[in-house]
Amino acid sequence: MKAGPDISRIAALVGDPARCNMLTALMTGRALTASELAQEAGITPQTASSHLAKLEAGGLIEPEKQGRHRYYRLSDPDVADVLEGLQGIAARAGHMRVRTGPKDPALRRARICYDHLAGDLGVQMLDSMKRQKLVRQSKQAIELTGEGKRFMAEELQIDADALTHPRRPVCKACLDWSERRHHLAGTLGAAMMDRFTELKWAARDAAPGSRVVNFSRNGEKRFAALFGAGE
Amino acid sequence: MKAGPDISRIAALVGDPARCNMLTALMTGRALTASELAQEAGITPQTASSHLAKLEAGGLIEPEKQGRHRYYRLSDPDVADVLEGLQGIAARAGHMRVRTGPKDPALRRARICYDHLAGDLGVQMLDSMKRQKLVRQSKQAIELTGEGKRFMAEELQIDADALTHPRRPVCKACLDWSERRHHLAGTLGAAMMDRFTELKWAARDAAPGSRVVNFSRNGEKRFAALFGAGE
DNA sequence: TTCATAGTTCGATGATAGCCGAAGCATCGA
DNA sequence: TCGATGCTTCGGCTATCATCGAACTATGAA
């Protein structure tokens, strides 16, 4: 009757709260050990082991063995994108996980989405880039313009031509769950976030497992100069 | 502890095979009835009803009640996007066969929907009326314009002011069974169908239980002159 | 070697949730 | 009004699956 690779299989994997906690923990882009993931999900190591095996079989995560540890990471940035999309739907339906803590505003302002910038500032950045014609967006596809390449080289010392990747687009629109608008993903999005970190404009929050990105005072000023809301 | 929206609830909804079949069936963008979705998922109507209630509570689909039918559609294009993303992860082998609508071509073309015209011609008529600015549609509500009143009086000898009814609106958008788009219901829709019959432009099919409406050759010409697709 | 830690496998248990039959509303057609 | 149809609610059955205790394997350290 209906054959084919079920998307229900994949969705069911995400549908379990314990596994879901593991996956969201991995949305930081960092690889975590089985034990850490077990603690993150609030379950015993045995149960976690079973879940991790299923997630791996489903192609959502990939293990990397290191000594007696097994590090797990999301198998693909696309996985993070889909998870972020699900968060958008969940947020709209009003299904927030717990009471909105004090970290919530910071999370909405700037956070890591796997390896690129998300939140208010992330959306602002893509908006500004479109206004400045650094990128062209037609439907879902985003393309870096010639002017955009120059901008990246001059302002951020990023060689756009070096960003091509066999399996990953340079530019990609990623739906932001808190803003419900797109921010920039892809290798360019990742490279820009890397540069912000290198320049000490921004830094990942020290707390383990946190997705919050803190901008320094100087970093915020420089960021606004390039991607300010007004221009 | 954990901030952010709760994905697992949403993902669990998609995670059930039956619900997943329903959702993929709705990815065509068309609205389907509860029965059709039940058949699509290969389950009984009772079970489908339970699933649909859950999907609605989760904000994934939205109902539109139409007589004794309940049409469901995806509540937002974003939902379709996420489903598409999941398909990408699941390494899709696309299979989207949806059987909808009546088999009888005559029924698709023109039929009675309670007391007004439905089918291809019914949808065409409302489209043309909007183009000619005889009616204004904002969301679900439809309003007859001054020009529309003149048109009704001159062309069809219908006194729009006499159509007010204590419990029934003059104009109403009605979701079309075969076209999955709106046609005109309400007392005006009924009055227009009555007039078409009086003028012998159209007649109900003689067969008992048939909802087919047959247009005469002359009637078809006159109808096209007023509500033709081109103008 | 011996011990400690990380992770897995197995088996039993318990709760969740999908499923359908039967019955109940609501709407339509005549 | 009455019967037919679309849909929902209720109750009970069943299967699935997450969970954990216990035991087992593998790596690293002393």
Side-chain angles (χ1 to χ4, degrees), chain B residues 33-35 46 49 68-70 72:
Chain B
T33 67
S35 308
Q46 312 92 287
S49 181
R68 44 185 176 181
H69 295 277
R70 256 174 101 88
Y72 286 96

Side-chain angles (χ1 to χ4, degrees), chain B:
Chain B
M1 183 177 224
K2 303 253 180 285
D6 184 7
I7 304 183
S8 68
R9 304 260 295 266
I10 303 296
L13 289 175
V14 187
D16 178 75
R19 283 191 295 256
C20 183
N21 284 336
M22 293 174 162
L23 289 172
T24 48
L26 290 175
M27 280 182 71
T28 59
R30 296 196 229 178
L32 297 174
T33 67
S35 308
E36 287 170 332
L37 288 168
Q39 190 180 5
E40 201 63 40
I43 53 179
T44 59
Q46 312 92 287
T47 309
S49 181
S50 157
H51 284 314
L52 289 169
K54 284 171 186 164
L55 287 173
E56 186 185 344
L60 293 178
I61 60 175
E62 275 177 356
E64 183 176 339
K65 201 171 175 189
Q66 191 59 68
R68 44 185 176 181
H69 295 277
R70 256 174 101 88
Y71 283 89
Y72 286 96
R73 69 178 80 250
L74 295 184
S75 63
D76 197 295
D78 287 349
V79 175
D81 291 347
V82 170
L83 294 176
E84 197 127 333
L86 280 169
Q87 285 185 337
I89 292 182
R92 105 219 67 184
H95 64 83
M96 226 162 293
R97 39 143 213 129
V98 188
R99 41 174 182 280
T100 65
K103 286 109 197 161
D104 191 348
L107 208 55
R108 274 180 179 275
R109 175 136 179 88
R111 66 175 175 278
I112 282 290
C113 176
Y114 188 44
D115 58 5
H116 52 270
L117 184 65
D120 182 23
L121 290 182
V123 171
Q124 212 178 96
M125 185 175 85
L126 180 56
D127 275 352
S128 172
M129 286 172 73
K130 282 193 275 192
R131 270 200 307 276
Q132 297 181 61
K133 302 216 192 321
L134 308 182
V135 292
R136 245 193 314 271
Q137 180 169 21
S138 63
K139 285 206 156 188
Q140 285 282 46
I142 298 188
E143 202 186 354
L144 194 62
T145 64
E147 197 172 335
K149 283 188 185 177
R150 275 195 299 279
F151 180 96
M152 289 303 150
E154 288 174 18
E155 304 288 344
L156 294 170
Q157 292 80 49
I158 290 176
D159 179 8
D161 294 321
L163 294 176
T164 53
H165 186 276
R167 313 193 62 181
R168 202 178 170 196
V170 173
C171 295
K172 192 184 167 196
C174 178
L175 192 61
D176 196 278
W177 175 32
S178 57
E179 296 296 314
R180 301 302 141 92
R181 297 178 51 207
H182 288 115
H183 57 245
L184 181 67
T187 56
L188 177 60
M192 291 176 76
M193 183 62 215
D194 279 351
R195 182 65 66 199
F196 296 157
T197 308
E198 266 183 43
L199 294 170
K200 302 236 189 308
W201 291 6
R204 301 277 311 259
D205 197 84
S210 170
R211 299 175 58 194
V212 170
V213 171
N214 295 308
F215 272 70
S216 68
R217 176 164 297 176
N218 178 50
E220 194 145 1
K221 238 165 64 182
R222 299 292 206 86
F223 182 88
L226 294 183
F227 309 111
E231 41 187 338

